[in-house]
Amino acid sequence: MASRSGALARATRFFDEGGFKSLLAELVAIPSTSQEPGAEAALETYLREGIAPWLERLGFISTVHPNPLPGFGPILSASRIEDPTRPTILLYGHGDTVRGLEDQWRAGLRPWALTEEGDRWYGRGTADNKGQHALNLAALEAVLAERGGRLGFNVKLVLETAEERGSKGLREFVAAHAEELAADALIASDGPRVEPAVPTIATGTRGTWHFDLVVKLREGGVHSGHWGGLTTDPAIILAHALSTIMDRNGKILVRDWLPRNGVPAAVRGVLAGCPVGGGEGAATIDEGWGEPDLTPAEKIYGWNSLIVLSMISGRPENPVNAVAPDARAHCQIRYTVDSDTAGFEEALRRHLDAHGLELVRIENAGIRMAASRTAPDHPWVRWAQASMEQSLGKAVQIIPNSSGGLPGDVFVDHLGLPLVWVPHSYNGCKQHGPDEHLLIAPAREGLLAFAGMWWDLGEPGTPQGKAQARPGA
């Protein structure tokens, strides 16, 4: 007789006997980077040859669409509808990766080949995001097999290939296909757990707001001996501007950039006791850096941060004896939905002027990825937490939003969906650099967690309650 424990046992065997590793190796071998010219064909290959045949075996009807925006990768949509009166879940993932950076991986590792070392699987996309959406689909396959080809609910899928370029075209695609993508909730995987051993649910993501600070004083450099001490050095002006924006301990001084009412009570409550850790090889959590009187979890899951992503004056690779003509810094604010991004640029301009820094220009300011959040106590979130805890036999940490960015706002704005992000990676996975890897133990837990959720969706007691047919279901 089909059972929940039987579905989990199937998923466990598939993982432990090497089935998932082999599957992931095939996906990693497709060099589907969206950040390198000439790799466009691999994006199509990933969707049409890596994913679509698998979906067909699972009973999905899938289509690969051109991106609505020219120059960006295609988007796959798929659906598997059993009963319009049962819950419908939307899955999301992205098949594109960042650059391979082949020459930067350490000896014995290559970006487009899966390599197992110790407790890790190395390869580009293992953590971001091929391994994560492949785990979710493999779990679905286990439940289908246990139920004899049935799920007891409906699934839809959006798999894009431009996420590493800001998910360009995804918003337009979802808006144009809103009716056919209608669902009850988005349950998907990307990003890191709060700690490698702590199963996590994130109910949203922080957004990113970018801007350049520019000091341009002349058309070319001038002799440092003849003019040093007489003419203004733009690098010094830029450094002073940055020092007025953030103090030496990482506290943001442009206070209008911060969440309007501080950390909301609901956010503070769900983060009480929340651990934060990147695992072995990750960056340090420096005590005293950032906003005072906040816990590390509140700093990255409930607050805003400012990062100088790049800064230049002169020619660092070949310095010359000259006072440089200009200086530039590209900065990023990671912000929560509690912030007033519409006022960010004006607040910065007021701040700089108040410090006598009218020479500093603000250029290219705006949102790159919008923030999103579902209430941490939403019924779908608590349902997922209970299901995962039953499958894994351990506590599941809820966070109000992941520290990174994802296009959750697209699914909230156009489909009105609650967000349940269940990450399978960790902060130290090196996902945007060389030596990207997926930890084997959390991946195994992720497969079991999704097998349990997929099983439970086919049983009574989902948050939908009395099911009603939905448009496009």
Side-chain angles (χ1 to χ4, degrees):
M1 181 178 294
S3 67
R4 190 181 201 277
S5 60
L8 269 64
R10 287 177 183 272
T12 300
R13 287 195 300 272
F14 180 68
F15 194 94
D16 293 348
E17 294 173 2
F20 184 77
K21 178 184 175 182
S22 297
L23 169 65
L24 183 57
E26 293 176 5
L27 299 179
V28 168
I30 302 171
S32 54
T33 170
S34 60
Q35 296 186 343
E36 295 185 55
E40 294 82 3
L43 300 176
E44 288 270 355
T45 298
Y46 186 83
L47 298 182
R48 294 188 183 278
E49 299 179 18
I51 298 297
W54 187 14
L55 294 176
E56 184 177 354
R57 292 195 302 272
L58 297 180
F60 283 81
I61 298 172
S62 66
T63 305
V64 176
H65 310 259
N67 195 299
L69 301 183
F72 296 95
I75 299 171
L76 178 147
S77 67
S79 63
R80 188 185 191 283
I81 306 301
E82 284 187 2
D83 181 352
T85 67
R86 293 297 299 156
T88 298
I89 298 302
L90 180 65
L91 265 173
Y92 161 83
H94 65 91
D96 65 315
T97 72
V98 296
R99 295 173 178 84
L101 304 175
E102 288 90 341
D103 59 333
Q104 298 180 30
W105 291 58
R106 65 173 172 80
L109 301 179
R110 293 180 293 139
W112 310 117
L114 189 73
T115 303
E116 181 173 343
E117 286 189 3
D119 63 348
R120 302 175 178 188
W121 286 328
Y122 286 89
R124 179 63 81 216
T126 52
D128 188 19
N129 171 257
K130 295 179 180 181
Q132 301 216 37
H133 63 253
L135 282 167
N136 300 347
L137 289 171
L140 195 72
E141 190 164 22
V143 172
L144 271 169
E146 180 66 13
R147 277 205 170 112
R150 290 184 60 260
L151 286 175
F153 65 99
N154 312 301
V155 189
K156 298 177 181 180
L157 170 66
V158 172
L159 194 61
E160 64 161 319
T161 59
E163 195 273 347
E164 300 296 0
R165 297 177 68 189
S167 290
K168 298 295 186 182
L170 180 64
R171 175 172 289 274
E172 291 80 0
F173 177 82
V174 171
H177 295 82
E179 184 173 346
E180 64 196 71
L181 294 176
D184 292 294
L186 179 137
I187 303 179
S189 300
D190 205 338
R193 293 175 163 194
V194 296
E195 282 188 338
V198 179
T200 302
I201 294 173
T203 67
T205 54
R206 291 198 294 182
T208 61
W209 192 84
H210 291 243
F211 63 97
D212 292 329
L213 290 180
V214 181
V215 182
K216 182 173 177 59
L217 303 181
R218 57 189 71 90
E219 288 305 316
V222 294
H223 194 284
S224 60
H226 302 326
W227 291 99
L230 295 178
T231 195
T232 303
D233 187 336
I236 299 300
I237 299 298
L238 179 60
H240 277 276
L242 290 169
S243 72
T244 74
I245 294 171
M246 174 176 276
D247 74 11
R248 68 175 306 277
N249 295 312
K251 177 182 177 180
I252 294 176
L253 302 177
V254 185
R255 304 305 282 178
D256 287 340
W257 279 353
L258 301 176
R260 284 165 283 199
N261 298 305
V263 180
V267 170
R268 193 179 295 274
V270 79
L271 291 177
C274 175
V276 175
E280 181 184 351
T284 59
I285 298 175
D286 298 320
E287 186 176 353
W289 182 262
E291 184 70 18
D293 303 321
L294 296 183
T295 67
E298 289 168 348
K299 288 178 183 179
I300 64 167
Y301 303 133
W303 203 247
N304 298 353
S305 59
L306 170 69
I307 306 94
V308 179
L309 298 181
S310 63
M311 183 163 58
I312 190 169
S313 184
R315 294 289 183 92
E317 74 283 3
N318 186 25
V320 296
N321 291 322
V323 181
D326 52 38
R328 176 183 293 266
H330 184 77
C331 305
Q332 177 194 76
I333 301 173
R334 294 271 179 178
Y335 71 91
T336 72
V337 295
D338 310 299
S339 311
D340 178 18
T341 55
F344 276 10
E345 183 172 1
E346 183 180 349
L348 177 57
R349 184 71 269 163
R350 288 196 308 268
H351 178 89
L352 293 172
D353 292 348
H355 285 81
L357 292 162
E358 294 85 355
L359 285 175
V360 181
R361 301 203 308 260
I362 305 167
E363 297 182 357
N364 305 315
I367 293 172
R368 295 281 182 89
M369 187 167 282
S372 60
R373 182 191 297 151
T374 293
D377 61 351
H378 190 281
W380 274 106
V381 176
R382 294 300 185 179
W383 174 89
Q385 181 188 36
S387 174
M388 290 174 62
E389 289 181 344
Q390 180 182 353
S391 299
L392 303 179
K394 61 198 301 188
V396 173
Q397 176 68 53
I398 295 174
I399 55 177
N401 43 257
S402 174
S403 50
L406 284 169
D409 60 295
V410 172
F411 304 106
V412 173
D413 293 348
H414 292 291
L415 303 179
L417 298 184
L419 305 174
V420 182
W421 296 103
V422 183
H424 304 317
S425 186
Y426 78 116
N427 277 332
C429 70
K430 301 185 178 180
Q431 65 192 76
H432 283 185
D435 303 348
E436 178 183 344
H437 58 273
L438 183 67
L439 291 180
I440 297 173
R444 186 178 188 272
E445 281 192 338
L447 181 63
L448 295 179
F450 266 81
M453 282 193 287
W454 295 149
W455 180 270
D456 292 342
L457 279 162
E459 298 292 301
T462 60
Q464 185 188 354
K466 280 193 173 182
Q468 300 293 326
R470 291 161 305 281

